[in-house]
Amino acid sequence: MSSSDGAAPPINVKILRSYGKLLGIPHTAHGARTVALERVGDCEITMFETLEAGSAAAPLFWMELFDLRVHASRDSRGCHNMSDAVAAFNDFASQASRLAELPSRDIGEAVG
């Protein structure tokens, strides 16, 4: 459901919709449920739930910045509330934008 002018929804709306999708995915044998939030360059920002999600101290969900070029996680963060999630999303989008500016030969060196 995008707005009538074609603009992307605000980040918090995108996160909320994705969380709803995440909760609608049936549990699998390994217990992880994952939803892609956005692709930035050659990176993908995803939201996932871990087996510990039901405990009181555990985050509601995790967000991850995954680099599709090197098939590795660049960063991840547990989100206890919407402000955590928006901050993580903005940070990951910024990291992905910087990575997109790197020459291909430098990508592997930037992992970790």
Side-chain angles (χ1 to χ4, degrees):
M1 289 189 201
S2 61
S3 64
S4 60
D5 64 0
I11 298 307
N12 58 339
V13 172
K14 184 179 284 198
I15 291 168
L16 192 57
R17 287 179 184 165
S18 296
Y19 186 61
K21 287 180 189 176
L22 183 73
L23 294 177
I25 297 172
H27 285 279
T28 60
H30 59 79
R33 301 187 286 186
T34 304
V35 173
L37 279 151
E38 188 164 311
R39 187 169 176 168
V40 180
D42 289 323
C43 291
E44 190 170 65
I45 300 170
T46 60
M47 172 187 290
F48 65 94
E49 180 185 61
T50 62
L51 292 174
E52 302 85 37
S55 74
L60 290 173
F61 56 86
W62 284 78
M63 291 179 69
E64 177 182 49
L65 176 62
F66 190 83
D67 191 327
L68 299 166
R69 292 174 286 193
V70 295
H71 303 286
S73 177
R74 294 277 181 177
D75 201 349
S76 65
R77 194 169 304 158
C79 301
H80 294 272
N81 54 47
M82 182 60 73
S83 62
D84 289 349
V86 170
F89 183 94
N90 289 331
D91 181 41
F92 294 168
S94 178
Q95 287 184 54
S97 294
R98 286 192 305 273
L99 286 168
E101 296 172 2
L102 288 176
S104 295
R105 68 180 189 283
D106 295 338
I107 297 301
E109 297 170 10
V111 173

